[in-house]
Amino acid sequence: MKILKDGSKTQVSFTLNGTEVDGYAEPRTLLSDFLRHEIGASGTHVACEHGVCGACTVVVDGKAVRSCLMLAAQAEGKEIRTIEGLAASDDSFNKLQDAFHKRFALQCGFCTPGILMTLSSLQDSGRRYTEPEIREALSGNICRCTGYREIVDAALDVLGDRVVA
Amino acid sequence: MKPAPFDLCIAETVEDVTGALASHGETARVIAGGQSLMAMLNMRLTEPDLLIDISRIPGLDRITVDQTGVTVGATVRQAELAAHAEAREAVPLLAEALSHVGHIQTRNRGTVCGSLAHADPSAELPLMLVLLGGSVTLASAQGRRTVAAEDFLTGTLTTSRRPDEMIVSAHFPRPPAGAKTAFREIARRHGDFAIVSLACIAQGRNLRLAVGGVADAPVAVDLADVSAETLPAQLNALAWRLRGYDDIHATARYRREMIRRLGLDMIMEAMA
Ligand SMILES: Cc1cc2nc3c(=O)[nH]c(=O)nc-3n(C[C@@H](O)[C@H](O)[C@H](O)COP(=O)(O)OP(=O)(O)OC[C@H]3O[C@@H](n4cnc5c(N)ncnc54)[C@H](O)[C@@H]3O)c2cc1C
Ligand code: FES
Ligand code: FES
């Protein structure tokens, strides 16, 4: 049994987009804040901070989860992927990013990292999804700009069960 | 907002948890999936001195399916139970109800037992536990006890768990062989908390009906000699008995009406 004391920081290390990272966190530090302020990976956005909006979605051990509802200390030893890990090493877009670009699937872009991480976790399964399945998966991510149509279209281009011309 | 400061215990055994609960009492909180508790901590609706993370305790992550039903350990995530082939076959209603519990992102972390411990009156899993006549097993430094669903879920966010106890598992019995089951709920958006949730088990003209989101905890009733003629009056009587409550989501009157209408729809489907 390990007890982490309030007010004192302990080391937390995990794999972030394929690279080992570490930093120091208080017991109450949220994973979202740890990523942004301690690691400096500010691509993960934070809005509601109580699990409702999905802006902070990251992929932990292959599963899309809300980083504002996880403590940094709980991420110890995990394999985490964030928006920073999507682009190729030459900074070119991956397929999902490219489809978002082509389909105008973002306006202010605040929700985009969370939405792309939710969709990335679906992409890992290798299967194709119907529109209702895509919409259900996206029900956990709120976008206040687009009205979702373009986001769903972009997602279907890459993950959908219909053939794109 | 951010949580108020607390100590964090990363438990390795059930005894670590029951020991810490025994010495800290109500100032300690178990954290399982965190999908309800973290939000409450972030909003400072609760400010425990000690948080006990149970997610790394080995052996609590098991789903066991046998003749009697499905037993789910304290760290089993909702998404894991929903995807478990044998459990889906044994109690098909569970997977159906689980698809309404939040979103994929919350089901990937939220646990089955955490939802029972949280005891939201309209939550789907407590409704299933009551409908199926299930139970939870609690552990404390004194030993273990198993409590039936109705004795466990006592009110809004209230259970008969003592402050020194943790849930180690929950048991969802199989419905009787040959029985038909159905589930319905009404929510503003898919994945939002239900306003009213209903589920039933039909065997010939005998019916077991459970209702969530109307009284302050899910309630199950057994009705005999049910038919299309008797049902409206039976549902109306139940609606008035449970009364319902007004909040920002719906009025008490609306909740009662959902028992009459959704209830009728669902039962006719199950008995067809
Ligand atoms: C956006 C969103 C939508 C949601 N929608 C729904 C919904 O539609 N339906 C629904 O039912 N739920 C919904 N939830 C809540 C659900 O996701 C939670 O998973 C569940 O209520 C709690 O489970 P948990 O494992 O996350 O528990 P935690 O949040 O870790 O804990 C919840 C409470 O239970 C106690 N606890 C947990 N495990 C134990 C244990 N083993 N022994 C003793 N006490 C324990 C904790 O101390 C705490 O008081 C939603 C949540 C979010 C963020
Ligand atoms: S910031 Fe995490 S869900 Fe809104
Ligand atoms: S693009 Fe602005 S919130 Fe989605």
Side-chain angles (χ1 to χ4, degrees):
Chain A
M1 174 171 67
K2 207 163 50 174
I3 302 224
L4 312 176
K5 282 285 176 194
D6 124 43
S8 64
K9 293 190 170 184
T10 36
Q11 191 175 22
V12 175
S13 44
F14 50 78
T15 314
L16 180 65
N17 301 317
T19 311
E20 277 295 318
V21 295
D22 60 69
Y24 290 83
E26 281 185 52
R28 64 167 167 158
T29 306
L30 305 177
L31 176 59
S32 44
D33 286 336
F34 185 79
L35 286 169
R36 291 172 56 84
H37 306 309
E38 184 72 10
I39 305 292
S42 57
T44 299
H45 290 172
V46 172
C48 71
E49 227 163 40
H50 60 264
V52 177
C53 73
C56 66
T57 305
V58 301
V59 177
V60 177
D61 290 345
K63 307 265 196 289
V65 305
R66 303 196 176 319
S67 61
C68 73
L69 298 185
M70 222 177 128
L71 296 168
Q74 293 177 313
E76 178 65 38
K78 305 274 184 199
E79 206 269 306
I80 299 183
R81 282 186 290 135
T82 60
I83 187 74
E84 284 89 352
L86 290 193
S89 50
D90 64 354
D91 273 351
S92 61
F93 285 165
N94 80 359
K95 280 189 184 161
L96 273 172
Q97 290 171 307
D98 207 37
F100 267 56
H101 178 67
K102 290 206 176 100
R103 290 281 193 176
F104 296 99
L106 60 143
Q107 289 177 31
C108 76
F110 197 86
C111 67
T112 315
I115 291 188
L116 285 172
M117 294 324 289
T118 294
L119 294 173
S120 299
S121 75
L122 299 187
Q123 201 175 16
D124 295 342
S125 76
R127 57 173 273 239
R128 313 292 287 182
Y129 294 83
T130 61
E131 178 169 342
E133 284 173 330
I134 295 279
R135 284 192 177 272
E136 211 218 298
L138 290 174
S139 72
N141 292 84
I142 290 175
C143 174
R144 288 281 94 129
C145 302
T146 61
Y148 303 100
R149 180 72 259 173
E150 297 82 357
I151 296 175
V152 171
D153 284 343
L156 285 170
D157 283 354
V158 181
L159 304 169
D161 60 355
R162 71 185 184 206
V163 180
V164 197
Chain B
M1 271 170 70
K2 316 291 178 191
F6 50 75
D7 293 344
L8 177 64
C9 163
I10 315 281
E12 278 152 23
T13 61
V14 170
E15 290 67 37
D16 287 349
V17 183
T18 54
L21 287 174
S23 54
H24 286 78
E26 308 224 20
T27 63
R29 276 292 190 101
V30 167
I31 179 162
Q35 301 302 292
S36 294
L37 185 56
M38 283 303 305
M40 292 170 69
L41 290 168
N42 288 355
M43 293 189 278
R44 301 205 179 188
L45 295 173
T46 174
E47 299 188 10
D49 294 337
L50 175 70
L51 216 58
I52 308 164
D53 183 357
I54 62 171
S55 63
R56 296 193 190 234
I57 301 178
L60 291 182
D61 58 350
R62 283 193 209 117
I63 302 174
T64 323
V65 181
D66 61 17
Q67 292 308 310
T68 62
V70 180
T71 306
V72 184
T75 60
V76 173
R77 314 272 180 198
Q78 292 148 10
E80 290 166 352
L81 181 60
H84 194 276
E86 269 180 89
R88 291 176 74 103
E89 202 203 302
V91 189
L93 262 189
L94 271 180
E96 194 180 338
L98 276 164
S99 73
H100 294 268
V101 180
H103 312 278
I104 48 167
Q105 301 90 338
T106 65
R107 293 195 291 273
N108 280 338
R109 279 197 72 73
T111 63
V112 173
C113 291
S115 171
L116 300 172
H118 188 61
D120 188 286
S122 70
E124 292 82 0
L125 292 167
L127 179 81
M128 287 300 130
L129 198 73
V130 167
L131 175 79
L132 296 162
S135 58
V136 298
T137 298
L138 300 156
S140 73
Q142 268 89 57
R144 296 195 173 201
R145 62 180 181 129
T146 296
V147 181
E150 270 116 342
D151 300 327
F152 180 69
L153 298 158
T154 50
T156 305
L157 308 186
T158 317
T159 66
S160 57
R161 183 183 69 81
R162 296 193 314 259
D164 67 334
E165 288 177 312
M166 73 169 282
I167 302 181
V168 283
S169 66
H171 180 68
F172 297 89
R174 285 176 194 259
K180 293 189 180 156
T181 57
F183 171 83
R184 285 288 164 84
E185 76 169 40
I186 184 142
R188 282 295 294 272
R189 292 187 320 148
H190 185 93
D192 281 2
F193 267 102
I195 298 171
V196 173
S197 52
L198 298 141
C200 71
I201 304 175
Q203 267 187 303
R205 296 186 60 181
N206 291 329
L207 184 80
R208 184 168 169 83
L209 169 66
V211 181
V214 183
D216 62 356
V219 172
V221 290
D222 291 293
L223 303 173
D225 257 337
V226 173
S227 70
E229 291 73 51
T230 61
L231 252 181
Q234 286 168 311
L235 291 175
N236 184 44
L238 179 64
W240 281 111
R241 199 189 107 201
L242 301 184
R243 300 213 73 87
Y245 50 89
D246 295 329
D247 66 7
I248 53 165
H249 305 293
T251 58
R253 181 164 172 235
Y254 179 90
R255 288 171 208 271
R256 291 193 295 270
E257 194 61 14
M258 286 304 109
I259 297 185
R260 298 183 192 107
R261 294 189 187 209
L262 267 193
L264 189 64
D265 260 19
M266 174 187 73
I267 296 165
M268 293 326 282
E269 175 197 301
M271 295 186 39

